Amino acid sequence: IESAEKGNRFSIEEAHDADIGQNAVQRYSLQKNDNFILAVDSNKVELVLENKLDREKQKELNLLLTALDGGSPQRSGTVVIHVTVLDANDNAPVFSQTVYKASLPENSPPDTIVIKVSATDADEGVNGDVTYQFGHVSDDDVNVFSIDPKTGEIRVTGVIDFEERSSFETRVKAKDGLGLTSYAKVIIDVTDINDNAPVIYLKSLSNPIPENVSPGTEVGIINVQDRDSENNRQVRCSIQQNVPFKLVPSIKNYYSLVTTGQLDRELVSDYNITITATDEGSPPLSSSKTVELSVADINDNPPVFEEQSYSAYVTENNKPGSTLCSVTARDPDWRQNGTVIYSLLAGEVNGAPVSSYLSVNGDTGVIHAVRSFDYEQFRSFKVHVMARDNGSPPLSSNVTVSVFISDVNDNSPQILYPAPEGNSFMTELVPKAAHGGSLVSKVIAVDADSGQNAWLSYHIVKSTDPGLFTIGLHSGEIRTQRDISESDSMKQNLIVAVKDNGQPSLSATCSMYLLISDNLAEVPELKDISYDEKNSKLTSYLIIALVSVSTFFLTFIIIILGVRFCRRRKPRLLFDGAVAIPSAYLPPNYADVDGTGTLRSTYNYDAYLTTGSRTSDFKFVTSYNDNTLPTHSCLEFLIEQRSNFPFYSNYLIKISFYTNIEAK
């Protein structure tokens, strides 16, 4: 107004800088002019009329105002102030308070009245009509509050959140009808309400956890935050009671998750730990967070066999590669720590490596036979199987596997006496006075099998006189069924079969040649003893060969024997062939006879007939008395004559040794 006096002040809206501190607005600069200067204090910026205005000289003025901050680099903002010179309106609105303060709970609903501002203007009419509006409002606050331009009431129009902003500060402008204004500051404090539950943050976590960690080991760090204030942000944390973990308070709002006991992955491999945080607000709010922890496996369990020992049963003559049994071991560890590999421990079975008898599948534990077993060699053996895991270091355990071999009837009976048919020619004397039931001879046989496969039975399958002799079913003793009569043939041929009790049954046969006579002088030439059809041809060839050779050397033998006989006081025995006659059945002048006609261990087999005697009248028999040549002397004699009997030397030694065993 042109009536304005020198020194009048006109308030100007302050510049706004989003920065703070030194970077905010620090000073103002007004372009030099003739009428106004700039006056700035802590609360306002004013133009001061230095020289009165003269509307008639100048109706309008344009002033350039610059605002500068204190940053580096320095930034500035400018505004053009358009001054209109009016007629006299010399009173601006005046607020009742320079600063208005109010308190507002957060979450207040829209349209809530926060505070009411009031300003008065002493002028009248249009010059005294005051309206209200906000001064500079930031983009964040523009939608939070509103002011009624007529009444000056400030209301809530947006969301009030203490956690977002705890206070608001704004300026309110009062303006009269002709544009004179004044400003007041409004400060609104937001009070907190417990509207935020605690938030749990997992700062660090060791996962998985080795199962061998010691109690008290820290496995994680927990941080708890509550955006509320004062008591509303005081938080307590806890976890459930059925887990081997606990929370240990650390610095403010931090907790350590530590173990309280020994972990065992084989019992519990995973834990779901629920952490609960509760504040102290009214009412209290709480939240929970579940932490999943896995227990890492450590190779702390050796493989364990399902049985303490295993037994395998196999019949002999099995096929190589056949399956005997299977061993199984369990390891509760995980992955390679629980992978089991089977192997045989080194050892020997009957002096041979165990690997030459059995093999084991390293993955399945199935045990196979490497070779065919023979029950007659060994009946059972034990091996040790090791189960080892793939851990580091590996753990192992052993188990004993007993292998039992069952017998199969794969061995025929073996006749020890008399020699099996075709190997030797055995003849025994039977006294003419033998009564019924007298023991004549005995068939001795063995079977390499066992059990019922080795139970032997004896049977006479063919005989010269079927009613004369009988044989014990299980003893093999040959006895007379009746008294010997004059009508009985002197030459008796028995074919005896020995059978075992296996399935199927195996058997062997032998021939027993018996001479019914009391004196060798009565015995006809042995060449007339009957043979089976199947052996007659071979025997004929043997007799022809022996007779031919014997005839050629007969004279030479007689001379040599005569010379030797004259030189020695004691007679020598001539061995030739394998025809042995027990001395018990010779006349009394050759050996003692108890009259029973049975075989006894005291009888000595010391009379021998040569195979060549079948075709000659030469017979030399002596009793076992003081004049009998000992067996070792007979052998010495035969050895000495090797140069004289190149054809018979080896043969004679062999036969004499065989008959010596029979004599024993």
Side-chain angles (χ1 to χ4, degrees), residues 232-247:
N232 295 334
R233 66 181 306 169
Q234 300 300 318
V235 180
R236 301 184 308 272
C237 283
S238 62
I239 62 174
Q240 70 266 38
Q241 301 298 317
N242 57 346
V243 293
F245 299 92
K246 68 177 180 179
L247 289 175

Side-chain angles (χ1 to χ4, degrees), residues 333-393:
D333 292 324
W334 194 45
R335 289 187 176 175
Q336 66 178 15
N337 293 334
T339 301
V340 179
I341 299 175
Y342 303 93
S343 61
L344 289 175
L345 291 181
E348 292 187 351
V349 176
N350 288 348
V354 67
S355 59
S356 64
Y357 289 89
L358 300 177
S359 67
V360 61
N361 188 303
D363 297 326
T364 63
V366 176
I367 298 177
H368 301 276
V370 174
R371 63 165 64 174
S372 179
F373 300 126
D374 188 354
Y375 177 82
E376 286 68 45
Q377 292 184 358
F378 53 91
R379 301 182 178 183
S380 65
F381 60 91
K382 292 183 178 181
V383 298
H384 298 282
V385 178
M386 178 180 70
R388 176 181 59 84
D389 60 30
N390 268 335
S392 179

Side-chain angles (χ1 to χ4, degrees), residues 24-50:
V25 177
Q26 297 297 317
R27 66 188 183 87
Y28 294 86
S29 174
L30 182 65
Q31 184 182 13
K32 187 174 180 181
N33 60 88
D34 297 332
N35 300 101
F36 295 94
I37 61 172
L38 190 64
V40 180
D41 60 17
S42 60
N43 291 324
K44 57 186 176 178
V45 178
E46 295 178 323
L47 288 177
V48 179
L49 184 63
E50 187 177 23

Side-chain angles (χ1 to χ4, degrees), residues 417 428-431 434-435 437-442 468-470 477-481 484 494 512-515 582 585 596-599 605:
Y417 182 84
E428 296 192 14
L429 292 179
V430 180
H435 299 287
S438 297
L439 177 64
V440 175
S441 182
K442 182 175 182 178
L468 182 57
F469 297 100
T470 183
E477 295 178 345
I478 300 176
R479 297 179 182 271
T480 57
Q481 293 193 72
I484 303 297
L494 303 180
M512 177 70 72
Y513 301 99
L514 304 176
L515 296 177
Y585 298 118
T596 62
T598 60
L599 293 177
Y605 294 77

Side-chain angles (χ1 to χ4, degrees), residues 573-618:
L573 283 180
L574 177 62
F575 286 26
D576 185 12
V579 181
I581 303 175
S583 61
Y585 298 118
L586 298 179
N589 61 324
Y590 291 117
D592 290 337
V593 180
D594 60 3
T596 62
T598 60
L599 293 177
R600 297 296 180 89
S601 60
T602 58
Y603 297 158
N604 298 282
Y605 294 77
D606 51 14
Y608 297 84
L609 299 180
T610 64
T611 306
S613 65
R614 300 176 188 168
T615 56
S616 71
D617 294 331
F618 175 77

Side-chain angles (χ1 to χ4, degrees), residues 486-501:
E486 294 294 334
S487 61
D488 292 326
S489 174
M490 180 180 296
K491 307 170 187 177
Q492 297 288 331
N493 181 13
L494 303 180
I495 297 178
V496 178
V498 183
K499 297 182 180 180
D500 60 27
N501 197 37

Side-chain angles (χ1 to χ4, degrees), residues 54 273 283:
D54 187 354
I273 303 173

